[in-house]
């Protein structure tokens, strides 16, 4: 559209202070996984090394393209080239993350004696995993566009652009979620049983209310309310998935209980995480306040 350059600049301003800091969470998840559940980490990374390697490549390309777009020659042709790399990497990475998560719940990855026996294509090439990838992709797009509606509060035209994208992604989520649930019946029966259990109905109802609240907030241009509802929606989706898949890391052969580290290791890890949180969370709050405050107060807003 006619505001594509401004849209890209808005995305750049939104994530510039925190895009590299966000990799802390990826590192944290990996470290916790191989420290707390070492006997699950090996089979998981072996079975899914193809999509997870692609995820890492996507993250690297995304970060590199973001940096080069900022500091390379400021010509439109060069800017578009790096923007294309950034956009493709940002589109593919969440799809592959969802694909990997679906593979863990599919029951197609089999592990015997700590060794993956089903090869390197099991799980993540099935229809259910692909559906999970599409769902994650739409969910990421919805959340990002909703956040941007709040971030570009000084530009009504851009806010409307991102509002339309958020509404489109939010509406797409409904049929995609229905398809994923239908595919789970045969593609991930353990997960399907969990998502249709007695406890799941209230959770799914709360998730639906949060999704409806986000869409209503976007429709009425109550963007901060929409953002809060979108956060609740994504949180409930992750919570429901985790509860439905528990106690398995990899369905049906690898459980959390069977692969946990020694109690002494878990106690030390918990203490380290608690101590790290005392430094990490205030640092992130300070980072946001400094850079987001500067962004909001910047003179010359369009």
């Amino acid at each position: 559209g006619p505001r594509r350059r401004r849209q890209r600049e808005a995305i750049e301003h939104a994530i510039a202070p925190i895009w590299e800091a966000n990799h802390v969470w990826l590192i944290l998840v990996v470290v916790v996984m191989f420290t707390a559940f070492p006997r699950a980490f090996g089979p998981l990374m072996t079975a899914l090394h193809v999509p997870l390697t692609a995820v890492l490549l996507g993250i690297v390309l995304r970060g590199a393209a973001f940096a080069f777009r900022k500091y390379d020659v400021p010509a439109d042709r060069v800017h578009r080239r790096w923007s294309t790399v950034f956009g493709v990497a940002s589109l593919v990475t969440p799809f592959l993350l969802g694909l990997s998560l679906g593979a863990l719940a599919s029951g197609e990855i089999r592990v015997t004696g700590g060794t993956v026996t089903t090869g390197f294509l099991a799980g993540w090439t099935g229809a259910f995993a692909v559906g999970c990838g599409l769902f994650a992709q739409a969910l990421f797009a919805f959340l990002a566009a909703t956040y941007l509606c709040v971030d570009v509060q000084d530009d009504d035209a851009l806010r409307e652009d991102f509002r339309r994208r958020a509404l489109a992604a939010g509406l797409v989520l409904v049929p995609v979620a229905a398809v994923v649930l239908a595919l789970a019946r045969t593609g991930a029966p353990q997960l399907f049983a969990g998502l249709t259990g007695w406890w799941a109905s209230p959770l799914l109802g709360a998730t639906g209310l949060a999704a409806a609240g986000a869409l209503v907030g976007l429709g009425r241009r109550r963007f901060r309310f929409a953002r809060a509802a979108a956060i609740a929606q994504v949180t409930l989706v992750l919570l429901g998935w985790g509860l439905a898949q528990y106690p398995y890391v990899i369905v049906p052969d690898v459980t959390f209980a069977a692969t946990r580290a020694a109690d002494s290791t878990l106690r030390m890890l918990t203490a380290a995480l608690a101590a790290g949180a005392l430094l990490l969370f205030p640092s992130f709050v300070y980072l946001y306040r400094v850079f987001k405050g500067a962004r909001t107060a910047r003179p010359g807003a369009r």
Side-chain angles (χ1 to χ4, degrees):
R3 290 180 294 276
R4 56 187 178 272
R5 183 65 179 256
R6 285 163 57 192
Q7 291 167 6
R8 292 168 184 161
E9 290 174 353
I11 293 171
E12 178 182 321
H13 283 296
I15 68 175
I18 48 86
W19 72 271
E20 192 169 11
N22 277 342
H23 294 168
V24 168
W25 308 117
L26 176 65
I27 297 168
L28 182 65
V29 168
V30 173
V31 170
V32 169
M33 188 67 194
F34 71 65
T35 304
F37 306 99
R39 285 173 289 178
F41 182 80
L44 189 155
M45 298 302 292
T46 300
L48 298 178
H49 79 276
V50 175
L52 291 180
T53 299
V55 166
L56 292 177
L57 289 173
I59 291 172
V60 170
L61 287 173
R62 186 173 183 265
F66 185 80
F68 280 116
R69 186 178 66 170
K70 176 72 174 179
Y71 297 109
D72 203 347
V73 178
D76 284 343
R77 178 179 56 82
V78 175
H79 192 270
R80 283 196 302 270
R81 180 182 65 198
W82 291 120
S83 294
T84 300
V85 175
F86 177 82
V88 171
S90 298
L91 192 69
V92 172
T93 301
F95 172 77
L96 292 170
L97 286 172
L99 193 78
S100 301
L101 188 60
L104 296 178
S106 68
E108 296 180 12
I109 299 174
R110 303 308 304 266
V111 180
T112 303
T115 301
V116 177
T117 59
T118 46
F120 304 125
L121 301 179
W124 63 274
T125 55
F128 172 72
V130 172
C132 292
L134 294 173
F135 179 76
Q137 199 172 50
L139 195 64
F140 276 51
F142 169 69
L143 193 63
T146 304
Y147 264 76
L148 284 164
C149 288
V150 177
D151 198 75
V152 295
Q153 57 186 317
D154 55 353
D155 192 322
D156 292 338
L158 285 186
R159 176 175 277 190
E160 284 301 303
D161 291 339
F162 292 124
R163 172 178 169 270
R164 287 193 293 270
R165 286 162 171 75
L167 284 170
L171 292 173
V172 166
L173 274 173
V174 178
V176 173
V179 169
V180 169
L181 186 61
L183 290 172
R185 182 185 293 273
T186 56
Q190 169 71 29
L191 187 75
F192 182 81
L195 290 175
T196 54
W198 65 268
W199 59 266
S201 296
L203 189 62
L204 291 174
T207 305
L209 285 175
L215 292 174
V216 170
L218 289 167
R220 296 186 176 181
R221 294 175 174 80
R222 295 178 59 187
F223 296 111
R224 294 188 182 276
F225 174 81
R227 181 176 64 178
I231 293 170
Q233 176 187 353
V234 175
T235 301
L236 290 169
V237 167
L238 292 173
L239 177 62
W241 189 290
L243 290 174
Q245 186 168 328
Y246 187 81
Y248 297 101
V249 182
I250 306 175
V251 180
D253 297 324
V254 182
T255 65
F256 285 99
T259 58
R260 65 197 296 266
D263 290 343
S264 57
T265 300
L266 294 177
R267 285 194 294 269
M268 292 178 63
L269 178 63
T270 302
L273 290 173
L278 295 176
L279 176 65
L280 183 63
F281 287 109
S283 299
F284 268 101
V285 171
Y286 182 67
L287 184 71
Y288 272 86
R289 288 180 66 88
V290 169
F291 287 96
K292 295 298 184 180
R295 158 73 174 156
T296 302
R298 191 183 60 210
R302 299 181 184 90

